[in-house]
Amino acid sequence: MPRKSPLVIGHRGAPGYRPEHTRSSYELALAMGVDAVEPDVVATKDGVLVVRHENEISGTTDVAQHPEFADRKMTKRVDGEALTGWFTEDFTWDELSTLRSRERLPDVRLSSASFDGAQAILRLVDVLDIVREGSIEHGREIGVVLEVKHATYFASIGMPLAPLIAAELRSAGWGEGALPLIVESFESTVLGELRDLGIPASYVYLIEAGGRPYDQFAALGTRARTYKATLEPKGLDELVGSVDGISVDKKMLLARGNTIVADAHARGLRVFTWTCRPENRFLAAEFRGQGGKDAFGDYEAEWGVIARSGVDGVFVDHPDLGVAFFRD
């Protein structure tokens, strides 16, 4: 039986070429042929959902260049980690809308960094509109893979994300059969909350290569199941019926002898992986080439291993390369 091509998902748009989560990043990904794009969702002080890699925004915006916001800089503990900077939940949407986006990896993505300062932050509703309009423009069904970030943290400060997301999706008419919706998170609690709120979507549990999910750690401490144990037969068995799939760090699929995809498929779970990038610094050691960390290595060889695993979806930073390689 021929191998089915995995979904090619533009990871925050097309961040190999444009600053992540910007309008041009998403529009470029759609033009390059992705099946879906992935916005990360956090919240503002006034409950507006914005798309940022993290709620700490010093690395992805020009907030540090705004003297009127200098007193907003602070240190917080998010998911157990101390972070210093500026946080979305300390700004209203009107305030955040005055900021401009910046490339998160300027030393790696020099071309993308040349677009710094040119584009505003987007709200979730803006991304939904971009994808809806892009589906019409390009004449194909394009989906959204919505990642919920730091749900336990936001709940702890009185801003639970699930009701905000559910209201936004319903207002936008998303997930009601018009265009495909996948919701993912490293925390299963918020996935269950959204499912209980009746949001029609496929639910995917993100799996780190190490550690424990923060929602479970916050509740159970070291008794919480590790991500690694979640991929064992008992852990996968317990996911059946609560989620539709898992999404794993690609290093786990590259490990020799792993049976992740087969084990998940045997239980009716789909498998996604993140993130397929061509630069040497992101490739497994055996696939790195010459030219330094930021040169492209033998990414096709690494991606070949991933494709042959039978994975159902891949997240890519360079959508043109991903579409060219993974699509049959």
Side-chain angles (χ1 to χ4, degrees), residues 49 73 118 145 148 212 239 251 255 308 325:
L49 296 170
K73 186 177 184 180
V145 181
V148 185
R212 292 177 169 84
L239 292 181
K251 70 177 67 173
R308 289 190 294 275
F325 183 85

Side-chain angles (χ1 to χ4, degrees), residues 251-269:
K251 70 177 67 173
M252 304 172 83
L253 292 186
L254 295 171
R256 295 185 185 279
N258 84 84
T259 58
I260 293 171
V261 175
D263 291 345
H265 283 176
R267 292 164 173 81
L269 298 170

Side-chain angles (χ1 to χ4, degrees), residues 233-244 263-264 266-269:
K234 181 180 178 182
L236 289 173
D237 287 343
E238 293 183 9
L239 292 181
V240 175
S242 62
V243 297
D244 302 292
D263 291 345
R267 292 164 173 81
L269 298 170

Side-chain angles (χ1 to χ4, degrees), residues 5-250:
S5 298
L7 292 175
V8 178
I9 303 160
H11 182 235
R12 309 168 196 159
Y17 303 108
R18 300 290 188 275
E20 65 188 28
H21 292 316
T22 58
R23 177 173 293 274
S24 67
S25 184
Y26 285 113
E27 289 179 344
L28 184 58
L30 303 186
M32 287 179 167
V34 296
D35 298 298
V37 291
E38 183 223 28
D40 298 319
V41 176
V42 293
T44 68
K45 183 178 184 179
D46 50 346
V48 176
L49 296 170
V50 294
V51 290
R52 290 285 94 189
H53 175 248
E54 300 289 344
N55 58 324
E56 199 289 291
I57 56 173
S58 61
T60 59
T61 74
D62 63 355
V63 64
Q65 279 67 59
H66 285 251
E68 68 273 25
F69 299 138
D71 62 349
R72 308 279 178 96
K73 186 177 184 180
M74 61 185 65
T75 298
K76 297 188 179 188
R77 186 165 291 275
V78 180
D79 294 359
E81 180 182 358
L83 300 173
T84 299
W86 289 262
F87 298 82
T88 59
E89 65 269 20
D90 296 327
F91 293 81
T92 65
W93 164 243
D94 284 347
E95 290 172 330
L96 281 185
S97 69
T98 67
L99 304 182
R100 293 298 176 263
S101 298
R102 299 178 62 87
E103 168 56 45
R104 189 171 59 88
L105 303 171
D107 296 336
V108 181
R109 307 272 167 80
L110 298 177
S111 177
S112 177
S114 71
F115 293 88
D116 282 358
Q119 299 174 79
I121 292 175
L122 297 177
R123 300 165 297 175
L124 174 60
V125 68
D126 298 321
V127 177
L128 297 178
D129 287 344
I130 289 168
V131 176
R132 181 182 287 109
E133 293 163 6
S135 294
I136 296 170
E137 177 185 355
H138 298 292
R140 68 179 194 280
E141 186 180 75
I142 304 171
V144 168
V145 181
L146 189 162
E147 181 178 349
V148 185
K149 301 299 287 277
H150 307 303
T152 298
Y153 167 77
F154 275 101
S156 76
I157 61 172
M159 297 182 66
L161 294 180
L164 295 175
I165 293 170
E168 189 92 325
L169 291 171
R170 287 197 174 100
S171 177
W174 206 273
E176 297 176 0
L179 291 169
L181 173 66
I182 296 172
V183 180
E184 62 179 5
S185 179
F186 287 102
E187 301 176 84
S188 60
T189 301
V190 72
L191 297 180
E193 290 169 351
L194 284 164
R195 187 186 287 272
D196 290 344
L197 287 169
I199 297 302
S202 294
Y203 289 88
V204 172
Y205 191 23
L206 287 160
I207 306 288
E208 294 267 18
R212 292 177 169 84
Y214 189 72
D215 58 334
Q216 298 302 307
F217 180 76
L220 301 172
T222 55
R223 291 184 292 117
R225 175 174 287 153
T226 64
Y227 281 120
K228 183 178 179 181
T230 302
L231 294 179
E232 295 173 355
K234 181 180 178 182
L236 289 173
D237 287 343
E238 293 183 9
L239 292 181
V240 175
S242 62
V243 297
D244 302 292
I246 58 175
S247 184
V248 300
D249 186 327
K250 70 180 175 68

